[in-house]
Amino acid sequence: MKNNFIPFEQFNRFTPEEMSVRAAEYYELMKSRRTIREYSDQPVAPEIIDKCIHTAGTAPSGANQQPWHFAVIRDSQVKQKIRLAAEEEEQEFYAGRAGDTWLDTLAPLGTDASKPFLEVAPLLIAIFEQKYHIDAQGQKVKHYYAKESVGIATGMLISALHNAGLVTLTHTPSPMNFLSKILNRPEGERPFLLLVVGHPEKDVLVPDIEKKKLSEICSEY
Ligand code: IYR
């Protein structure tokens, strides 16, 4: 059945000049984002995280099915369990599962199997992709473009957290089924990403790497 349609009233229209300024300002904001692997234990107020997750929840999704769940982990015992399980997987990854080609590609980042940030950072957000939901009649309803939708929402979350003055690490221990077990997530949900969130450790260093130029990522037709 077709939805009820309502006027599109909350949209802001800007002059071309205002649009240029806003586009440039957003670029400046986002290009200062860096992935951070060393965190201080400085806490983050829950309402800031709630607002950023609420922002992520405004993302477009296939058939508006919103196939995502954000599990916020602050409890140190749960963080410790996640660290131990992740490091177990990472040890196998770095000891051979990844293969030489992958490890050679990663070498410039200087990463290894040790993941202290999973305990030090004030919070982790485990993002789950929901493959389906159960409707009022108890029937499974498949979600369309679930992975794409969760990816978009995750990008919006990273952007919102950066805008709020926080740093993140998009961590993907592989496989990460342990997240479903530790967090007791329902069947039909798959771990998508583990986002580490907080404040950077004092005097933190980041790799001296560059983003591609506009001409390398964009073509016009
Ligand atoms: N999950 C591992 C390996 C890793 C893989 C990629 I692709 C990265 O960009 C970074 C790390 C780890 O977190 O160490």
Side-chain angles (χ1 to χ4, degrees):
M1 209 186 47
K2 197 174 167 188
N3 278 328
N4 190 25
F5 276 63
I6 55 172
F8 182 41
E9 279 167 345
Q10 77 275 42
F11 182 68
N12 288 317
R13 287 179 199 277
F14 299 107
T15 64
E17 294 72 28
E18 287 170 327
M19 290 167 71
S20 284
V21 170
R22 293 175 68 90
E25 283 177 354
Y26 197 66
Y27 170 67
E28 288 301 320
L29 171 67
M30 292 315 294
K31 85 171 183 182
S32 70
R33 186 202 60 79
R34 291 301 307 259
T35 290
I36 295 297
R37 290 187 164 79
E38 286 154 81
Y39 286 77
S40 85
D41 59 4
Q42 187 183 336
V44 180
E47 65 264 26
I48 300 170
I49 300 305
D50 288 353
K51 193 57 82 182
C52 293
I53 293 176
H54 216 173
T55 302
T58 68
S61 62
N64 193 35
Q65 287 174 314
Q66 305 170 58
W68 42 66
H69 182 82
F70 301 90
V72 181
I73 302 128
R74 294 173 181 276
D75 184 285
S76 46
Q77 283 180 357
V78 181
K79 284 196 284 182
Q80 187 188 42
K81 275 192 200 167
I82 290 175
R83 176 184 178 179
L84 292 176
E87 286 183 336
E88 216 172 284
E89 295 296 355
E90 298 288 19
Q91 270 145 20
E92 284 186 37
F93 176 90
Y94 283 96
R97 184 149 37 84
D100 287 344
T101 317
W102 194 347
L103 292 181
D104 287 349
T105 312
L106 279 181
L109 296 178
T111 55
D112 59 29
S114 163
K115 305 296 177 195
F117 51 74
L118 293 175
E119 279 188 273
V120 177
L123 68 119
L124 311 174
I125 306 178
I127 303 166
F128 290 86
E129 170 196 356
Q130 297 174 333
K131 298 278 185 199
Y132 58 83
H133 71 270
I134 308 289
D135 72 9
Q137 286 73 45
Q139 299 292 315
K140 266 188 197 176
V141 182
K142 176 185 153 64
H143 288 161
Y144 298 97
Y145 299 102
K147 209 169 222 65
E148 291 82 350
S149 304
V150 182
I152 294 167
T154 299
M156 290 176 60
L157 176 59
I158 292 168
S159 167
L161 291 165
H162 174 69
N163 178 57
L166 293 163
V167 294
T168 57
L169 166 64
T170 40
H171 186 40
T172 49
S174 164
M176 49 183 169
N177 302 335
F178 63 84
L179 286 175
S180 305
K181 289 201 195 95
I182 293 173
L183 301 171
N184 204 15
R185 296 309 307 163
E187 138 95 42
E189 266 183 23
R190 298 275 171 276
F192 178 76
L193 188 87
L194 185 56
L195 199 64
V196 182
V197 183
H199 297 276
E201 182 61 295
K202 198 168 160 288
D203 301 327
V204 72
L205 299 177
V206 293
D208 186 11
I209 51 177
E210 303 268 318
K211 295 296 181 192
K212 290 180 181 173
K213 293 199 286 285
L214 178 63
S215 59
E216 295 175 282
I217 62 167
C218 176
S219 50
E220 299 202 17
Y221 296 86

